[in-house]
Amino acid sequence: MAVRQNIWQRRKMSNGYCGLLYYFYLLFLLTTMFAMTHGKSLKNDGEFFYNCLKHRNSPQWINTLVDNRARKCLRFLKSIRSSVAQDQPSNNDVRIHESRRSELSISSYLSALISWRNKEGNLADLLLDRTSPCHRQSKELRKHWTKFFMKRRNSAAVSPAILQHTWDGNSGEITFRPIKTRFSSNTLIAAELVLTRSSPSDIGELFGRYSTRVSLKNHNARTVMHSDYQSSCPSRDGRFMLLEMETDHLIQWYHNRSRNFSLSVSVIPRRQYTSPLVQEPINVVERIVGLVMHFERSYSGPNNDMDRSRRLLLQALTGSPDTLSNNMGGNSPVEDTHFGRSAEATRRRRSPTKASKRKRRQIRHKRSSPSYEACHLVSFILETSFTTNIGVSWDPVIGPTPWNIRECQGNCSHPIPSHLATTNHAITLSQSHSKLCCVPTEHRTLHYTRNNDDEITFEEFPKMVATKCGCL
């Protein structure tokens, strides 16, 4: 009996293992099929737009499409017609445009990325229109590029200094200096090579599909770090081309502090449909402007991102890196630096006051008077020396932008409005007529870039900008 029971238990265990293996096998198949379908859909969207342009004067071809594809084609053709109606450049216009290239640089792309991180605009207007104008015609492209940027939303990033770069027609080379900046985390999560191109609307390009390839120049051997396709649609903002890079060789170079890094880049047009007034072939890429490497942030351990942010904040306030090392370096931990309210101020805030009927009438009269202002947000613009002390990098086209960290002003008289009473502690003190203070209760992170000897890094000040006020 015991032998039969052991045999039954072994069979049961083996069946459980087989079922588990079968489950993982199905999961692997589904994941592979989704990845293949997603990649094919991105590639097929480019071919679909090209065929839509090719058969734009053939209603019979459009009628053969299913409803959603037909609507997609008609929307694309409508955007093409509006673009052509606004501007139809000739060959002479294209030559003039190529002769005076815009001064776009890696700082222009990084500034747009920082503006999106600081919630100064939406993703479509700040980044998608500049990097993938076809996202408005293709949901798959919009999903792909949204996922691309969401992966880079909260990263610590660095753009290495360029030693030399060349671009001739459809190919070029670029060499980067070793990276000096060290991050607390060595986990490289993403990287992209940034190229600037001519605006599609300025050169009369109605649609383009390009084969992009990036190789690592390592003596005689060449290792492919990027190979993909990119599409182009009519837009005046589509000035950047982003090539997502493989990260294994980049992290090896990051740890090697003495070796340069050279890449060979090619952008070959596979499909190019231009305005009828433009008859000559067009080289859309202007130059390679830089590489951006994104690292995972770390807020624990020695020299973490929080410590780095606090040191930069002290440097921005004092303007002296020496004060930085004395206050924050060595055996002096970050927790020793206190920016809060003093004990005496806290006692004054919590000291009870006599609340008579006469005083209550005065409070009610004060609340009804026009001069009374409840606790609310107001602007607080930092001095330009704050950003100068830490070497903030700006967009060369827009220039320096004032930093508004905002502050809270106003009264916290009894009774406190519900949207200002953020804690039970404040409500209790309000009922006893203790004096409360108008202070920020919610903050957001302020992202910015610094330039250190042509090496640009992404930095942040956590909880820097006040977004909501309350009475405490």
Side-chain angles (χ1 to χ4, degrees), residues 87-217:
D87 188 13
Q88 288 190 352
S90 62
N91 287 328
N92 188 38
D93 297 330
V94 172
R95 282 193 293 269
I96 294 175
H97 173 77
E98 290 180 347
S99 64
R100 67 170 179 233
R101 304 221 182 244
S102 174
E103 293 299 325
L104 283 180
S105 63
I106 188 65
S107 296
S108 303
Y109 166 69
L110 297 180
S111 297
L113 195 57
I114 288 295
S115 298
W116 173 60
R117 288 187 176 190
N118 287 331
K119 300 180 180 179
E120 297 173 2
N122 58 51
L123 179 62
D125 294 336
L126 290 174
L127 290 169
L128 295 184
D129 286 344
R130 301 184 183 188
T131 57
S132 177
C134 292
H135 78 94
R136 298 192 179 276
Q137 284 81 26
S138 171
K139 291 183 179 180
E140 291 297 331
L141 282 174
R142 184 161 61 252
K143 290 179 182 179
H144 170 76
W145 286 104
T146 301
K147 183 179 179 180
F148 176 92
F149 287 113
M150 290 300 294
K151 193 175 182 180
R152 294 154 170 80
R153 183 158 195 165
N154 297 311
S155 64
V158 59
S159 178
I162 299 175
L163 183 62
Q164 60 181 6
H165 64 93
T166 60
W167 187 264
D168 184 16
N170 297 325
S171 62
E173 296 179 355
I174 188 168
T175 303
F176 300 98
R177 296 175 182 172
I179 298 177
K180 301 176 183 178
T181 305
R182 299 291 109 179
F183 296 102
S184 57
S185 172
N186 291 327
T187 305
L188 181 62
I189 58 177
E192 67 265 18
L193 191 68
V194 185
L195 288 71
T196 57
R197 56 153 296 162
S198 303
S199 171
S201 297
D202 289 341
I203 60 176
E205 183 183 38
L206 302 182
F207 178 76
R209 184 158 180 80
Y210 302 92
S211 171
T212 56
R213 184 183 178 91
V214 181
S215 302
L216 173 63
K217 293 182 61 178

Side-chain angles (χ1 to χ4, degrees), residues 42-43 47 141 144-145 209-213 226-231 242-243 268 270:
L42 291 179
K43 184 176 181 180
E47 294 296 329
L141 282 174
H144 170 76
W145 286 104
R209 184 158 180 80
Y210 302 92
S211 171
T212 56
R213 184 183 178 91
H226 166 89
S227 182
D228 202 355
Y229 287 87
Q230 294 212 7
S231 300
L242 305 183
L243 312 182
I268 309 298
R270 299 302 181 188

Side-chain angles (χ1 to χ4, degrees), residues 59-90:
Q60 293 82 4
W61 182 84
I62 298 178
N63 290 333
T64 60
L65 302 174
V66 294
D67 289 342
N68 58 343
R69 302 286 281 182
R71 288 194 297 268
K72 188 176 183 179
C73 179
L74 291 175
R75 285 196 303 268
F76 177 66
L77 292 176
K78 184 178 179 180
S79 65
I80 293 293
R81 284 193 292 269
S82 62
S83 174
V84 173
Q86 293 175 1
D87 188 13
Q88 288 190 352
S90 62

Side-chain angles (χ1 to χ4, degrees), residues 331-401:
N331 298 324
S332 177
V334 179
E335 289 75 13
D336 292 343
T337 306
H338 181 66
F339 296 94
R341 186 186 288 108
S342 64
E344 182 181 356
T346 303
R347 283 196 301 271
R348 287 201 307 268
R349 182 180 69 88
R350 294 183 178 178
S351 59
T353 59
K354 294 182 179 180
S356 61
K357 293 183 179 179
R358 181 174 57 83
K359 190 166 185 178
R360 290 183 183 179
R361 286 196 299 269
Q362 291 176 353
I363 292 174
R364 284 197 295 268
H365 175 71
K366 183 179 179 181
R367 288 180 63 86
S368 61
S369 63
S371 60
Y372 175 82
E373 287 188 354
C375 179
H376 64 287
L377 278 172
V378 296
S379 296
F380 185 86
I381 308 298
L382 294 177
E383 298 289 341
T384 55
S385 59
F386 187 93
T387 56
T388 305
N389 291 339
I390 53 177
V392 176
S393 176
W394 305 103
D395 187 337
V397 178
I398 300 176
T401 304

